[in-house]
């Protein structure tokens, strides 16, 4: 099931308007997540909203927002008062200006969304706005209200739709000056730069996100699967570190030598990937419930038997856990 829209309203460029829906372009719901449990009982921990002074639990209907102005002084703000602050961007994304993509500092980028026509009407107007932005080779800047706050949103064409990227306000971005002021000004020789450039050339390639694996996520899945099947967990040795670099020139030379040795293996891997490009890609990874292996056998006895079999048949590298039937995704 597709995630529900985070926002529905209208996209407007001057007098051209169309109904649109905004969907999250990313999601963290597929990652392994944990609950807090009571060590003694094994029961899940439940959080209750209590009065800080009386300790009594407070019903949701009795909870309101308050802005702290002093130790025990709050300015109370009701939901009705917040609703009265509704801006035009609550229901309409008005395109205010067009700017070059390169002008947007990456520090201002928050998260991406997909913008699509909402319903069967307005597809013509949506296409006009999309192609206008595409032909101008610029990014459209507008405003949208999400979670009761107004955000700047940058719109740019993506295939048949639009990608909207939320942007931060200037007051949300810290200045780099206070962090960089203690960095020393050092002189670097041309030989050092040349060696460093050679290392970069050896490691250069194309950005292919599908080649990246979340190794920590995979380690979590392996850990949970081992515990479910009664396997003993052995702590891995901490990786060795070389410490501080004493001779920078020597370190650069050794780095270049190691990269040259690794280059043939990388090229062979790339050739193998080129051969498999024409093949049908594997199904995208699903959520944690589908990645975790089922418990084999019944009870503790079954777990122990499975553990013995797994130890005998375990390959050197852990295989990807089996997945079960599809599940319902939450909105990101």
């Amino acid at each position: 099931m597709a995630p529900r829209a985070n926002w529905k309203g209208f996209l407007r460029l001057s007098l051209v308007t169309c109904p649109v829906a905004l969907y999250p372009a990313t999601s963290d719901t597929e990652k392994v997540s944990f609950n807090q449990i009571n060590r003694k009982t094994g029961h899940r921990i439940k959080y209750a909203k209590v009065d800080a002074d009386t300790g009594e639990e407070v019903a949701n209907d009795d909870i309101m927002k308050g802005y702290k102005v002093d130790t025990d002084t709050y300015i109370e703000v009701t939901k009705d008062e917040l609703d009265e602050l509704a801006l035009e961007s609550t229901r309409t994304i008005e395109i205010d200006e067009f700017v070059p993509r390169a002008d947007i500092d990456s520090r201002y980028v928050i998260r991406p969304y997909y913008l699509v026509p909402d319903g069967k009407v307005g597809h013509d107007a949506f296409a006009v706005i999309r192609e206008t932005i595409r032909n101008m080779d610029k990014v459209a800047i507008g405003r949208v209200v999400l979670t009761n706050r107004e955000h700047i949103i940058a719109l740019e064409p993506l295939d048949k739709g639009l990608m909207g990227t939320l942007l931060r306000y200037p007051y949300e971005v810290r200045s780099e000056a206070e962090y960089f002021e203690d960095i020393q000004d050092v002189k670097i020789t041309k030989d050092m730069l040349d060696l460093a450039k050679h290392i970069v050339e050896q490691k250069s390639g194309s950005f292919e996100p599908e080649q990246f694996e979340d190794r920590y996520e995979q380690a979590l899945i392996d850990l949970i699967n081992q515990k479910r099947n009664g396997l003993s967990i052995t702590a891995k040795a901490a990786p060795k570190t070389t410490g501080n670099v004493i001779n920078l020139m020597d370190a650069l030379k050794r780095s270049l030598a190691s990269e040259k040795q690794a280059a043939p293996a990388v090229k062979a891997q790339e050739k193998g990937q080129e051969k498999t490009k024409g093949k049908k890609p594997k199904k995208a990874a699903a959520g944690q419930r589908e990645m975790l292996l089922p418990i084999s056998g019944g009870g503790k006895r079954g777990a122990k038997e499975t553990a013995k079999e797994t130890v005998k048949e375990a390959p050197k590298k852990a295989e990807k856990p089996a997945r079960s039937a599809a599940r319902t995704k939450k909105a990101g």
Side-chain angles (χ1 to χ4, degrees):
M1 182 182 293
R4 64 180 179 84
N6 280 26
W7 181 92
K8 287 188 176 184
F10 296 90
L11 176 63
R12 184 164 65 205
L13 173 60
S14 188
L15 298 178
V16 180
T17 306
C18 62
V20 292
L22 197 69
Y23 292 89
T26 60
S27 173
D28 289 328
T29 58
E30 286 76 17
K31 290 188 174 183
V32 171
S33 60
F34 294 98
N35 293 313
Q36 291 187 321
I37 58 175
N38 186 334
R39 185 192 299 274
K40 296 180 180 178
T41 65
H43 300 158
R44 183 178 174 180
I45 300 296
K46 180 182 178 181
Y47 289 93
K49 297 176 181 179
V50 299
D51 189 297
D53 290 337
T54 66
E56 297 179 356
E57 190 169 349
V58 183
N60 286 333
D61 293 341
D62 295 327
I63 298 175
M64 61 187 302
K65 295 183 183 292
Y67 177 80
K68 187 175 181 179
V69 293
D70 204 347
T71 306
D72 295 314
T73 306
Y74 296 87
I75 296 176
E76 297 177 351
V77 181
T78 67
K79 184 179 182 301
D80 291 338
E81 289 172 332
L82 291 174
D83 290 341
E84 289 176 3
L85 293 177
L87 303 169
E88 186 180 3
S89 51
T90 303
R91 295 293 301 158
T92 302
I93 300 176
E94 176 79 40
I95 297 177
D96 298 323
E97 61 178 340
F98 293 86
V99 302
R101 183 67 180 84
D103 284 1
I104 301 177
D105 190 322
S106 59
R107 291 175 294 180
Y108 287 80
V109 174
I110 301 178
R111 72 181 68 89
Y113 287 86
Y114 296 140
L115 199 68
V116 303
D118 185 27
K120 296 181 180 180
V121 299
H123 284 252
D124 291 345
F126 181 87
V128 168
I129 295 173
R130 181 195 64 212
E131 294 310 308
T132 300
I133 300 173
R134 195 192 305 273
N135 293 334
M136 295 294 291
D137 195 24
K138 291 189 176 182
V139 176
I141 303 295
R143 295 171 185 266
V144 63
V145 172
L146 292 172
T147 61
N148 298 323
R149 296 299 295 263
E150 187 179 58
H151 299 271
I152 306 169
I153 187 167
L155 303 172
E156 54 189 315
L158 181 63
D159 197 17
K160 296 191 296 182
L162 289 170
M163 184 178 73
T165 305
L166 294 192
L167 303 177
R168 294 183 174 88
Y169 288 98
Y171 70 85
E172 297 178 283
V173 179
R174 294 175 175 173
S175 170
E176 72 281 3
E178 58 183 304
Y179 300 96
F180 296 169
E181 61 183 358
D182 292 331
I183 298 177
Q184 298 178 6
D185 292 325
V186 296
K187 291 183 178 180
I188 300 175
T189 65
K190 183 181 181 300
D191 290 340
M192 287 184 178
L193 282 176
D194 288 341
L195 282 171
K197 287 178 182 177
H198 284 306
I199 294 172
V200 172
E201 288 171 358
Q202 292 289 337
K203 299 177 78 69
S204 294
S206 301
F207 178 67
E208 299 178 5
E210 64 275 5
Q211 299 299 324
F212 292 96
E213 180 186 358
D214 190 338
R215 294 180 296 184
Y216 183 75
E217 181 78 3
Q218 186 60 49
L220 281 178
I221 295 167
D222 292 342
L223 172 64
I224 294 170
N225 284 333
Q226 288 177 40
K227 293 179 74 69
R228 292 184 72 176
N229 288 308
L231 291 171
S232 59
I233 308 300
T234 55
K236 293 183 180 180
K240 295 181 180 180
T241 57
T242 55
N244 294 331
V245 177
I246 305 300
N247 188 320
L248 182 56
M249 194 67 176
D250 182 53
L252 287 168
K253 289 179 179 178
R254 285 189 281 116
S255 296
L256 181 59
S258 64
E259 291 301 328
K260 285 182 177 179
Q261 289 177 357
V266 173
K267 287 182 179 178
Q269 185 179 2
E270 288 176 352
K271 286 183 179 178
Q273 291 172 357
E274 288 177 1
K275 290 181 180 179
T276 58
K277 276 184 179 179
K279 296 181 180 180
K280 190 176 180 181
K282 293 182 180 179
K283 190 177 180 182
Q288 68 177 81
R289 296 176 190 172
E290 298 162 339
M291 289 191 286
L292 298 177
L293 289 168
I295 300 176
S296 302
K300 294 182 179 178
R301 183 180 176 185
K304 289 181 179 178
E305 291 175 356
T306 305
K308 291 178 181 178
E309 293 174 2
T310 307
V311 171
K312 290 179 182 178
E313 301 176 5
K316 292 181 179 180
K317 185 177 180 181
E319 294 182 357
K320 204 165 189 178
R323 302 178 187 273
S324 61
R327 65 179 180 87
T328 301
K329 285 190 177 180
K330 297 187 294 182

